Amino acid sequence: MILFVSYGEKDFIMHTLPVFIIFESPSLLFGLFAILIPIFIHLFNLRRVKKIEFSNTALLRKVKEETSSKRRPVEILILISRIFAISCLVLAFARPIYKSEQNELSFQDEVLLYLDNSQSLSVKGDGDQIGFDKAYNLAQGIVNAYPEGTVFRFIENGYSNSVTTEFTKASLTDNLTEVEQIGVGRSFEEIIQRKNGQGLEGDVYLISDFQEQDGLNSLPVDSLSQYFLVPISGTDYSNISIDTAFLKNTFLSGNVTNVLSVRFKRNDKSTNNISSKLYFDDQLSGTAEIDFGETLFAEHDFEIPTNEANLEKIRLTIDDPGLSFDNDFYLTINQLDKVRVIELYDSQSPSYLSSLFEDNELFQFNRLNTNALDNEAIASADFILINELNNYSNQLQTAISGALNDGKTVVIVPAKNARSESFTGLGVNTIMDTKELIALDVPDYENPFFEGVFEENSPSLDMPSALTTFRLMNEELAYLTFRNGRSFLSKVVSEGNLFFFASSFETGQTTFTNHAIFVPVMYKLALGSKVSLTNLYYYTDSETIFFPIDRPDNSQVYSLRKNDELIIPDQRQEEGRLIMEIPKDLIETGHYELVLDDTPVGLLSFNLPKQESDVKPIAFDALEDLTSSNNISILNSASSASIESDLTASINGLPLWKYALLAGLLFLFVEIILIRYL
C-alpha cells in the first residue's frame, strides 16, 4: 500500500508499507463455524418432502415446476445473507484492526515533540486562525494519536523544561496549554543537537513554519530516529518591519548634529505607505510617512535634537496593517563604549594633543613614552596617535604593523624636522614637498567622513592653512587637501587604517590646530576607529554583549532588570568592559536596565531577530527534497483531526468492529426483505 500525504496542491509519499488486519480477540473467530447453521438449514429444507393429494396430476406437475424455479435463487440469496450476517457479527466481536506494518524505526515508544512558538507563527491562515494556534492543535493531535504508556519529551523555543523530562499523555497535554509565543527562534540544527546530546531516540516531530533561514538543507538527522516534519502554512504573509537603525555620527558631542537613520523592509508589495513615529522616553519626538515606491526597502532620517537629554529609552513604531508583533523597535544611544586612545610621544612632542582626549567621556586615554614601549597597551588600543616623533625604533615599527594588521587606526603627525625616510618602516612612502604655506580647500561635503560636522555646507568656508612639507606617494584617499590639489590629510594604502598629515602641528607650520575644524576631524578619526561601539540595540538571540564600565571589579555582579523581572547573566570583566552571555530563552523585547547593587548603571535595548519578521515559509522544493531520506516524512498540516486519525491508524490501527457490526445488521435486514417480499 502507498500512503499519500498532501501538502498544498502537491503530494508526498510518506511510506510504502504492506497493510494487514489484526484482531484483538482472535479466539472469537471460532464463532465463524456458526455459518454452518444456515447451511444445514438450507440443505434440510431442500430434502424435506411434503405430500399433497390432488385429482389432476398434470396441474400439480406444472405448479411444482414454476414454484421451484422461483424459490431456488431466493433461498440461495437468503443463505448468503445469513452467512455474511453471522460472519460480520463474529468479526465485530473479534475486534478487527486495520494497520500498516511498522518498520524498525517508525512509531516507537518514545516521542520527542518540538513546537515552534516563535513570533513568526503569527501569520494568519484560513478562518483568521493564526499559525501558532494551528501548531498547538497539531501538537495535541499527535499526542492523542499515541497509546497510553508512551514516553514523551517536549521542546519549545524557551527551553522552559529539560529535554530529558519525561511526560505522559496527560501531563504533556497540560504542559502544551501553558506554551505562549516568545521572541526567540531556534534552528533545527540546534534542536537536533540538543536531542543528540542527551542520546535520545524515538519519533521526532518538528512542528514549525519552516522559514527559509532555518537551514533545512543541512538538517543533521540521524538514523536512530524517524523524523516527521509538520509544516504550518498561512495565507497572509504581508509584513513590514524595521530592518536596521544607526547613527550617522558615531558620537554625541557639543552642538554637532546627529541623525538616526532607519531602514524599513516589507515582505511583499501589498502595502506601499506606512507611518512611523519616534519616541524619547515615551514622549513623541517625530513622525514620518514612509513610501516604499517599487522597492522592498525604504529609508528615513530622524534628526536628534542637540538639546535632547532623554536618549536612553528610544522607541520607534510603525503602523503596519498586517502583522503587528514587530511594530515596536527599541534603541538606546547614550551609552557608547569608550574608544581606547594611546598617544605615542617623546621628549620633543607637544602636549596639547592630550587635551583633546583627556577627561572626555568618549575616550579612555593613555600617553605612552616611546622610550618605554608597552606592546600590550598598543595592541589593546583602538586609536594610536603618533605625536611628532623624531625616531621610529624597530620595536615601535613592529608594534604599529601589528596594530594595523588587527584593523586598528593609526594617525601620524610628523615632527617639524622629520625626514621622508623616517616613515618608511611604517609603510608610508613620502617625499619632501615645497614647504609653501597654502590654505586648505573646502572639504568634500559628500564624503561621509564630514557628515554632521558642519551645520551648513558652505562653498566659501574659511579654512586654515599649512606648510606643504611632505607629499604622500602611496595615497589611497584624501580627506583634506590644499588649494593646489596636494593632500593635507590622507589615508595611506596599507593593511589597516593608516592616516598621515602632510605637516607638523607646530606653530608656524599650520593654523589647523587653532581652527574650528580641528576638534571634529580628530574626533572623527578616533571615533571611526572603534569597531565595536556599544550597540544601539541587540537582538533577543544575541549571545555575547559588551558594555563599558568605569571601574572594573570582578567581585561585582551585574544583572539585567525589566520591571519586576531580574536576570543575572554569565559575565566577566576585561579591559574596562563587562562581557555578558545573554540567556536568549529569558530575554524579551524592550529596555533592560543594567543594575549593580540595585542601582541602574546603563540601559540595553532588545528587539526580535530579523528572521522572525521574514515570515515567508521555505520553498516547496526544499521540503520535497527532504523526503528522499528514508527516515524523514512530511505530515499534512491542513487538519489536526486528519493527522491524528492518520497517525492513530498507523500507530494503534483503525478499529473496524463498528463497520463489521453495521455490515452484519445490513445483511440481516436484507434477509428480512428477501423472506417478506420474495
Side-chain angles (χ1 to χ4, degrees), residues 15 37 462 491 609 632:
H15 292 292
I37 297 175
D462 183 26
K491 186 176 185 298
I632 298 181

Side-chain angles (χ1 to χ4, degrees), residues 76-134:
I76 292 175
L77 290 176
I78 292 174
L79 174 62
I80 293 174
S81 298
R82 289 173 178 173
I83 291 174
F84 277 110
I86 293 175
S87 299
C88 290
L89 291 176
V90 172
L91 292 176
F93 284 101
R95 291 185 292 177
I97 294 177
Y98 169 91
K99 196 170 185 181
S100 298
E101 184 180 22
Q102 304 179 51
N103 58 40
E104 182 181 357
L105 298 177
S106 63
F107 307 125
Q108 302 184 54
D109 295 333
E110 294 190 1
V111 176
L112 175 62
L113 181 66
Y114 165 65
L115 176 60
D116 184 358
N117 59 331
S118 62
Q119 292 291 347
S120 63
L121 269 83
S122 299
V123 296
K124 292 183 179 180
D126 297 331
D128 290 335
Q129 183 187 44
I130 67 171
F132 177 70
D133 291 339
K134 186 176 181 180

Side-chain angles (χ1 to χ4, degrees), residues 57-68:
T57 59
L59 177 62
L60 289 175
R61 188 181 300 111
K62 181 178 180 180
V63 172
K64 181 179 180 181
E65 291 175 353
E66 291 179 354
T67 303
S68 298

Side-chain angles (χ1 to χ4, degrees), residues 128-145:
D128 290 335
Q129 183 187 44
I130 67 171
F132 177 70
D133 291 339
K134 186 176 181 180
Y136 166 79
N137 293 332
L138 290 170
Q140 188 61 65
I142 292 171
V143 174
N144 293 337

